[in-house]
Amino acid sequence: MRRALMALLLLAGCAKQPDNRTEVTYQTIETLPEQQALHQRIIAEFEKSHPLVHVRIIYDTSKFQKLNVQLAGRAAPDVFYYVVDRLPALAQRGQVSDLTERMAPLADQFHPEVIESCRVNGKLCMIPFHFSTDILFYNRDWFEKAGEPVPDESWDWPKFADVAARLAAQRQARIPTVLPRPLLLVQSFGGVLFADGKCTVNSPESIAALQFYRDLVARGVAPTTAAMGEVEAFDGVNLFREGRIPLLVGRTYMLAEFDHISEFRWDVAPVPKGKLRWSRLSVGGNCVWSGTTHPQEAWEFARFYSTEGAMLAAKSRDAIPALKAAAAAANFPTAMMEALKYSHLDNPWGYAFWDEFNQKAFFETADAVALGRLTPADAAHAIETLGDDLLRGR
């Protein structure tokens, strides 16, 4: 009995299909129906060109919690979808393969700003698939009918607020726009989160950004997050798509939704600037687990996904492919492509506590500012204290 059990375990470890194909497991948190359809197309094309490999896809709805357990138990999928803000923690624990040499011949085919974001201590730990940035969407019909010049690169945040309020008043619209992300405002106003091993949020720049955030609510330019929940819960997408607001500071992924608008003309412009123009660079891609028993097959699939697979994905336009040829084929608006020049990672330090810091600082504390329950100065002090405590491991 024991020998039979050992034989079964050995067979399972080989991951061979009945037809003698090698099975590679791929796990992803991208579970929307259109995403699943894309996965099936990519896998089908991959298996055509790699007839000795079978890819079994696993959908994870836990937002990486399942993956963390799998990695800790050394039972992770061969390849998995991941994001750059979380990547350093995995790299530091040796849980992802170093793909530097394998990718070297292909690196120049990708947008350099994107592929560089996937390096940790000089090692390429993820093959980028797509990226997104902040962008300003505007209803061109509203602007032209009002005789208002359309947004351009000269726009700053005060002009964004003033024009949104003016256009909404002309049409008696209840909501002029949606609150921009508070972290985006802090960074755009010149606030620096961490420097020299300590949190540095408590600065005049950060306080000014939080004051502007509060003023948007106080002036009726944008509703609070809580009030937004009563209108919609999709970051302002529905409000803009239905022609109910003239302006929306959004993300690249919204393009896929707005491509279907036929009731009015819309366009995009650079995100407004403060002390500087700032945009969050968000990158998603695939990692190869360092413990895979099929490193060659896993690499081949990850490479295919971001190259041939990116060409298949280009038509969806829900994020910009990291592969330059795929991005060009999708014909993204120029302003979106140029946003790479001023886009930065939110967590360039690779702090493992980033999610907790971001949630408490720029959702919970920022909400208190918007509601008038906390002054901008007190909020900046509270955020800095939080950051310092997390740095010390408290």
Side-chain angles (χ1 to χ4, degrees):
M1 176 66 73
R2 185 176 179 180
R3 288 182 179 176
L5 178 59
M6 287 299 293
L8 286 172
L9 289 172
L10 286 171
L11 285 171
C14 290
K16 289 289 184 180
Q17 294 294 292
D19 55 6
N20 207 37
R21 289 186 298 169
T22 297
E23 181 178 88
V24 170
T25 51
Y26 175 59
Q27 186 163 299
T28 178
I29 63 166
E30 296 193 314
T31 59
L32 294 175
E34 57 269 27
Q35 292 171 330
Q36 293 191 32
L38 175 61
H39 300 150
Q40 295 304 321
R41 291 200 300 274
I42 293 175
I43 290 171
E45 290 300 316
F46 174 77
E47 291 182 347
K48 281 183 185 177
S49 59
H50 296 74
L52 297 180
V53 183
H54 167 68
V55 178
R56 177 167 63 89
I57 192 164
I58 303 166
Y59 288 105
D60 176 16
T61 58
S62 70
K63 300 299 181 184
F64 300 123
Q65 292 180 22
K66 177 179 179 179
L67 179 64
N68 289 335
V69 173
Q70 293 168 321
L71 289 168
R74 296 206 47 85
D78 299 298
V79 183
F80 54 87
Y81 179 87
Y82 215 57
V83 292
V84 278
D85 281 338
R86 294 170 174 258
L87 187 60
L90 266 60
Q92 291 160 13
R93 293 196 292 267
Q95 294 172 325
V96 291
S97 299
D98 178 4
L99 304 173
T100 307
E101 290 188 13
R102 290 182 183 272
M103 272 294 290
L106 304 174
D108 63 355
Q109 297 180 29
F110 292 78
H111 288 287
E113 300 91 341
V114 180
I115 201 163
E116 286 304 312
S117 73
C118 299
R119 298 187 192 277
V120 180
N121 297 325
K123 297 178 179 179
L124 189 70
C125 297
M126 184 175 86
I127 306 179
F129 177 59
H130 52 201
F131 69 94
S132 64
T133 63
D134 294 293
I135 198 74
L136 178 64
F137 292 94
Y138 65 93
N139 186 318
R140 181 174 283 276
D141 284 359
W142 274 42
F143 276 81
E144 292 187 359
K145 289 176 182 178
E148 186 83 47
V150 298
D152 58 27
E153 60 186 14
S154 70
W155 271 40
D156 57 15
W157 288 110
K159 186 163 187 175
F160 162 80
D162 292 344
V163 174
R166 184 162 60 248
L167 288 175
Q170 290 174 3
R171 292 203 169 205
Q172 299 182 328
R174 187 165 64 91
I175 299 175
T177 190
V178 174
L179 280 173
R181 294 182 300 109
L183 176 54
L184 170 63
L185 290 175
V186 167
Q187 292 164 323
S188 180
F189 275 59
V192 177
L193 305 186
F194 296 94
D196 300 322
K198 57 185 178 181
C199 189
T200 55
V201 173
N202 193 4
S203 66
E205 292 84 1
S206 298
I207 293 170
L210 293 170
Q211 184 62 60
F212 178 78
Y213 189 70
R214 167 60 187 157
D215 290 344
L216 288 175
V217 174
R219 291 175 52 194
V221 177
T224 63
T225 303
M228 268 292 294
E230 300 173 4
V231 179
E232 70 153 292
F234 197 16
D235 301 330
V237 168
N238 291 333
L239 288 172
F240 186 83
R241 182 173 52 200
E242 294 165 7
R244 295 162 63 190
I245 58 175
L247 290 162
L248 174 65
V249 177
R251 298 285 297 173
T252 310
Y253 77 85
M254 296 177 180
L255 184 65
E257 297 289 334
F258 300 157
D259 272 342
H260 301 295
I261 294 175
S262 58
E263 293 78 12
F264 60 88
R265 294 174 301 147
W266 58 272
D267 211 333
V268 298
V271 69
K273 60 184 177 182
K275 187 175 181 179
L276 64 160
R277 200 185 308 280
W278 189 281
S279 169
R280 176 195 174 199
L281 175 61
S282 178
V283 180
N286 292 310
C287 298
V288 174
W289 178 40
S290 58
T292 179
T293 55
H294 310 293
Q296 182 61 33
E297 292 87 350
W299 150 253
E300 287 292 342
F301 177 67
R303 180 205 59 77
F304 185 94
Y305 198 103
S306 288
T307 51
E308 287 93 331
M311 297 302 295
L312 293 173
K315 292 182 180 180
S316 66
R317 302 219 309 172
D318 61 345
I320 304 176
L323 188 74
K324 288 186 282 190
N331 194 28
F332 282 88
T334 302
M336 283 188 176
M337 301 306 303
E338 292 182 344
L340 263 179
K341 299 175 184 177
Y342 56 86
S343 295
H344 310 273
L345 298 178
D346 271 359
N347 181 24
W349 316 274
Y351 290 144
F353 58 72
W354 174 258
D355 284 350
E356 180 181 357
F357 176 75
N358 189 33
Q359 175 64 33
K360 291 181 178 178
F362 298 108
F363 287 89
E364 298 171 15
T365 304
D367 277 354
V369 173
L371 291 166
R373 296 173 181 167
L374 199 62
T375 68
D378 287 343
H381 174 73
I383 293 170
E384 186 165 283
T385 300
L386 167 67
D388 284 334
D389 285 347
L390 290 170
L391 281 169
R392 297 187 189 105
R394 293 179 182 173

